[in-house]
Amino acid sequence: MDLQIALLLGQDGITNGAIYALLSLALVLVFAVTRVIFIPQGEFVAFGALTLASFQAGKTPGTLWLLIGAGVVVALVDVTLALRSGMPKRILRIVGWNLVYPAVAAAVVFLLKPSEFPLLAQIVLALALVVPLGPMIYRLAFQPLAEASVLVLLIVAVAVHLALVGLGLLFFGAEGSRTPAFSDASFNLGPVTVSGQTLWVVGASLLLIVVLFAFFERTIYGKALRATAMNRTGARLMGISTVMAGKLSFLLAALIGAFSGILIAPITTVYYDTGFLIGLKGFVGAIVGGLASYPIAAAGAVLVGLLESFSSFWASAFKEVIVFTLIIPVLVWRSLTTRHVEEDE
Amino acid sequence: MAEVKTILEVEDLCVAYGKVEALHHASIKVGEGQIVTVIGPNGAGKTTMLCSIMGLLPHTGGAIRFLGQELGDAEVEQMVALGINLVPESRALFGEMSVGDNLLLGAFMRHRAGHRDHEQTMEEVFRIFPRLKERREQHAGTLSGGERQMLALARALMAKPKLLLLDEPSLGLAPLIVREIFRVIADLKKSGVSILLVEQNARAALQVADYAYVLETGEIALEGASDQLIDDPKVVESYLGLGGKH
Ligand SMILES: Nc1ncnc2c1ncn2[C@@H]1O[C@H](COP(=O)(O)OP(=O)(O)O)[C@@H](O)[C@H]1O
Ligand SMILES: [Mg+2]
């Protein structure tokens, strides 16, 4: 291997690693706040990429139907509960978010022509369709189980994952899609050529990480999420509802997932089930961080990206094996070094 | 306490953990602007009572009324929105967050309701607990036991509560700190906050309270004005002791 190849592989590794880092952050966030191991994270990657690809191909993305359908179910459940518990004031909000919002989204998709939108508007519209699915899934699948064990939540997460993969096949078919690059520019840095898309991916990932960091450190809602992760009862006593925190963390996870999908769509062909493997690599990063530390999770995820890229050169048939085998020494190391901390209660 | 308006009324409250009933038909009243204390030994059901009032535990019977309005199975968040705040026995601080952020989150519900006066409230709270101001940037987990209790109390005050529920604020603290905490509790009453104070430290609680209940194995065994209970032979024998642990 000469230097040029090493730099090329390194560039690949960092590009993928940036995506894995974003996903690992979302996984750590969702687990810390809700104790859900968010297996369906990858489906948001695929939905984001394929929804954008559908717009560009002039098709109506199936995620629109999913948004409308999930909205109707959530509205039925929540309106019933609001009436039964004598809080009719809530109905306006419920109807607004779950019926009116999807209807507006549908109007935009059908009345305007998304295929003629500029790329940025297409991206925003794709996010607008996919991201609200996060809180809706939380509402339907996880909110009723807020007190359940991590294992039960994991089983439900796997079920949601399988359901979404099935819906993905139904909506987008078995063939994959690739979207045009955000930019065709390329730069020569010494011996390597850096593609514009690589810079986009790394730059946008870094930007999103900085924005998330600012959200958690500077805003009261970000602090409320961290508080829920640290001490659920303490947070509830401040009036931070577990449901609100859960929905907010799923919203962020869906945003991160869909945005990651949109970033990688020009680099790899995305299929309806591609997201799972990508999400799993983010998961390896999150495990390195013990599902608790954001910076270690992100660093672990970048390491996964690099490892994957270099092993694809040396032993391409075993690239996935090598990456997932990484979990074993990490788990052994963690179980040897982490002292078990007693719960604070 | 006929002449004062009742802010909290608990009537025939029953709470069970599975099949084991921890509270049997307990009734208490807190008058507006008063300090009412519930004293009793470990395991009597004091924490259970506060958690049930706060909506952390469902009750199996009886009623809880706040300002005359029955609460039913209200969620914790609704109680906070109504102006009820609990300082739990565990303190439930956010250990890896700064003192300032802990206090800020105390005002979360007010923030959601559109009030943007948390900085002013924080200054008022710092006037009560100057020590917390010095430690503003420090992580809550690094505070001493007394400071942690002060922070827990201060954080509850950030919500500007109408009714404050305190679960053993003196637990595990040095006598000097206990005195300081009780001085603050007495001052809070002067500023118009109604307080339901649960304590094992009967002497300190009876000194500061207007009215007191004695809870024993889930039942109210005795009640009366604090200055009467403090001389009651049964109370003296069981809870005040002669040169006992307090
Ligand atoms: N989570 C729980 N599960 C089962 N029993 C409990 C639980 N919490 C408390 N109890 C029981 O309820 C009774 C009252 O407890 P508690 O309210 O904590 O008493 P206190 O605060 O007065 O010390 C005790 O007998 C205790 O063992
Ligand atoms: Mg107790």
Side-chain angles (χ1 to χ4, degrees), chain A:
Chain A
M1 180 195 290
D2 60 21
L3 179 68
Q4 193 159 1
I5 293 179
L7 287 172
L8 212 63
L9 292 174
Q11 184 186 330
D12 253 20
I14 287 177
T15 313
N16 289 335
I19 298 292
Y20 302 153
L22 282 179
L23 297 178
S24 71
L25 296 183
L27 287 163
V28 172
L29 167 67
V30 168
F31 182 75
V33 174
T34 65
R35 297 174 304 124
V36 173
I37 296 175
F38 195 44
I39 310 290
Q41 178 74 66
E43 278 58 71
F44 284 93
V45 177
F47 283 5
L50 294 172
T51 302
L52 180 64
S54 294
F55 286 146
Q56 292 176 346
K59 288 187 266 185
T60 304
T63 36
L64 176 63
W65 306 121
L66 185 57
L67 179 69
I68 293 171
V72 168
V73 178
V74 172
L76 281 177
V77 173
D78 276 350
V79 167
T80 311
L81 285 178
L83 288 178
R84 199 179 295 167
S85 62
M87 279 179 283
K89 272 186 269 173
R90 290 189 180 174
I91 291 178
L92 206 63
R93 268 180 71 113
I94 297 169
V95 168
W97 280 113
N98 297 295
L99 298 179
V100 178
Y101 175 86
V104 170
V108 171
V109 170
F110 286 116
L111 299 181
L112 310 174
K113 283 205 173 63
S115 59
E116 291 163 14
F117 284 5
L119 180 64
L120 186 66
Q122 287 175 336
I123 291 175
V124 170
L125 188 58
L127 291 175
L129 291 193
V130 176
V131 174
L133 292 173
M136 288 175 178
I137 287 171
Y138 175 80
R139 172 63 192 93
L140 296 175
F142 297 103
Q143 183 180 322
L145 299 172
E147 306 297 322
S149 70
V150 172
L151 183 62
V152 170
L153 293 171
L154 173 63
I155 293 169
V156 174
V158 171
V160 171
H161 154 71
L162 293 173
L164 289 182
V165 171
L167 287 171
L169 179 61
L170 182 71
F171 294 153
F172 300 108
E175 66 278 10
S177 306
R178 196 182 260 243
T179 59
F182 294 178
S183 107
D184 299 322
S186 61
F187 307 90
N188 289 312
L189 284 179
V192 274
T193 311
V194 179
S195 78
Q197 187 63 30
T198 297
L199 290 181
W200 266 107
V201 171
V202 175
S205 303
L206 283 178
L207 182 69
L208 188 53
I209 287 173
V210 169
V211 169
L212 283 173
F213 184 76
F215 171 74
F216 285 118
E217 290 294 324
R218 295 265 170 265
T219 69
I220 194 165
Y221 280 89
K223 288 172 185 178
L225 274 189
R226 280 167 58 215
T228 303
M230 279 177 214
N231 192 319
R232 196 178 308 262
T233 306
R236 290 186 72 196
L237 291 174
M238 305 299 103
I240 302 164
S241 113
T242 310
V243 169
M244 185 213 77
K247 282 188 183 161
L248 188 53
S249 63
F250 269 64
L251 181 94
L252 288 171
L255 173 69
I256 292 170
F259 189 69
S260 305
I262 286 167
L263 285 178
I264 52 157
I267 305 175
T268 47
T269 307
V270 176
Y271 298 85
Y272 72 99
D273 61 352
T274 304
F276 182 59
L277 262 191
I278 299 175
L280 217 50
K281 286 169 191 160
F283 186 67
V284 175
I287 291 286
V288 172
L291 279 176
S293 161
Y294 293 95
I296 300 179
V302 173
L303 184 73
V304 168
L306 287 169
L307 196 70
E308 174 190 41
S309 142
F310 281 91
S311 54
S312 71
F313 178 78
W314 279 309
S316 67
F318 294 107
K319 130 182 148 174
E320 314 290 7
V321 178
I322 291 173
V323 168
F324 291 119
T325 310
L326 177 68
I327 289 191
I328 296 171
V330 166
L331 288 182
V332 170
W333 171 68
R334 286 200 67 86
S335 65
L336 291 179
T337 55
T338 1
R339 268 169 294 126
H340 198 80
V341 189
E342 290 289 320
E343 280 280 294
D344 189 44
E345 296 292 298

Side-chain angles (χ1 to χ4, degrees), chain B residues 132-209:
Chain B
L132 293 179
K133 187 168 191 175
E134 295 162 24
R135 308 230 184 286
R136 191 174 181 158
E137 304 299 328
Q138 202 171 317
H139 275 191
T142 64
L143 297 178
S144 73
E147 288 162 350
R148 290 163 70 92
Q149 181 57 55
M150 288 176 198
L151 178 56
L153 199 53
R155 189 179 60 171
L157 293 179
M158 289 295 296
K160 300 201 165 178
K162 294 192 183 97
L163 174 67
L164 200 52
L165 311 177
L166 303 177
D167 197 347
E168 302 211 29
S170 75
L171 191 73
L173 301 185
L176 215 62
I177 313 274
V178 173
R179 209 173 303 156
E180 196 175 337
I181 298 273
F182 274 91
R183 181 184 54 73
V184 170
I185 293 173
D187 284 350
L188 283 178
K189 177 190 160 171
K190 284 187 210 135
S191 68
V193 186
S194 314
I195 297 170
L196 177 57
L197 168 69
V198 153
E199 263 298 343
Q200 279 192 65
N201 188 338
R203 187 181 301 279
L206 287 173
Q207 271 164 6
V208 77

Side-chain angles (χ1 to χ4, degrees), chain B residues 58-224:
Chain B
H59 50 275
T60 46
I64 299 169
R65 281 183 281 271
F66 181 70
L67 289 170
Q69 188 194 348
E70 173 135 16
L71 294 174
D73 277 327
E75 295 278 320
V76 182
E77 297 77 34
Q78 289 164 262
M79 310 299 285
V80 178
L82 283 173
I84 309 180
N85 282 84
L86 168 67
V87 180
E89 206 173 325
S90 66
R91 329 294 203 223
L93 297 176
F94 309 122
E96 288 145 63
M97 267 192 224
S98 69
V99 168
D101 281 351
N102 270 271
L103 291 175
L104 173 67
L105 287 171
F108 181 81
M109 190 49 102
R110 284 182 64 76
H111 187 274
R112 268 204 102 174
H115 300 282
R116 293 294 181 274
D117 53 358
H118 65 263
E119 277 176 27
Q120 194 191 332
T121 319
M122 208 179 293
E123 283 311 315
E124 288 164 24
V125 166
F126 282 147
R127 233 169 286 144
I128 304 174
F129 300 107
R131 197 121 48 111
L132 293 179
K133 187 168 191 175
E134 295 162 24
R135 308 230 184 286
R136 191 174 181 158
E137 304 299 328
Q138 202 171 317
H139 275 191
T142 64
L143 297 178
S144 73
E147 288 162 350
R148 290 163 70 92
Q149 181 57 55
M150 288 176 198
L151 178 56
L153 199 53
R155 189 179 60 171
L157 293 179
M158 289 295 296
K160 300 201 165 178
K162 294 192 183 97
L163 174 67
L164 200 52
L165 311 177
L166 303 177
D167 197 347
E168 302 211 29
S170 75
L171 191 73
L173 301 185
L176 215 62
I177 313 274
V178 173
R179 209 173 303 156
E180 196 175 337
I181 298 273
F182 274 91
R183 181 184 54 73
V184 170
I185 293 173
D187 284 350
L188 283 178
K189 177 190 160 171
K190 284 187 210 135
S191 68
V193 186
S194 314
I195 297 170
L196 177 57
L197 168 69
V198 153
E199 263 298 343
Q200 279 192 65
N201 188 338
R203 187 181 301 279
L206 287 173
Q207 271 164 6
V208 77
D210 299 289
Y211 199 84
Y213 296 86
V214 177
L215 190 68
E216 279 172 2
T217 56
E219 286 176 79
I220 300 288
L222 212 60
E223 66 177 280

Side-chain angles (χ1 to χ4, degrees), chain B residues 16-18 20-23 40-50 57 89 167-168 198 200 215 218:
Chain B
Y17 295 101
V20 188
E21 201 166 70
L23 218 53
N42 211 356
K46 305 183 296 297
T47 298
T48 305
M49 180 187 273
L50 288 190
L57 278 176
E89 206 173 325
D167 197 347
E168 302 211 29
V198 153
Q200 279 192 65
L215 190 68

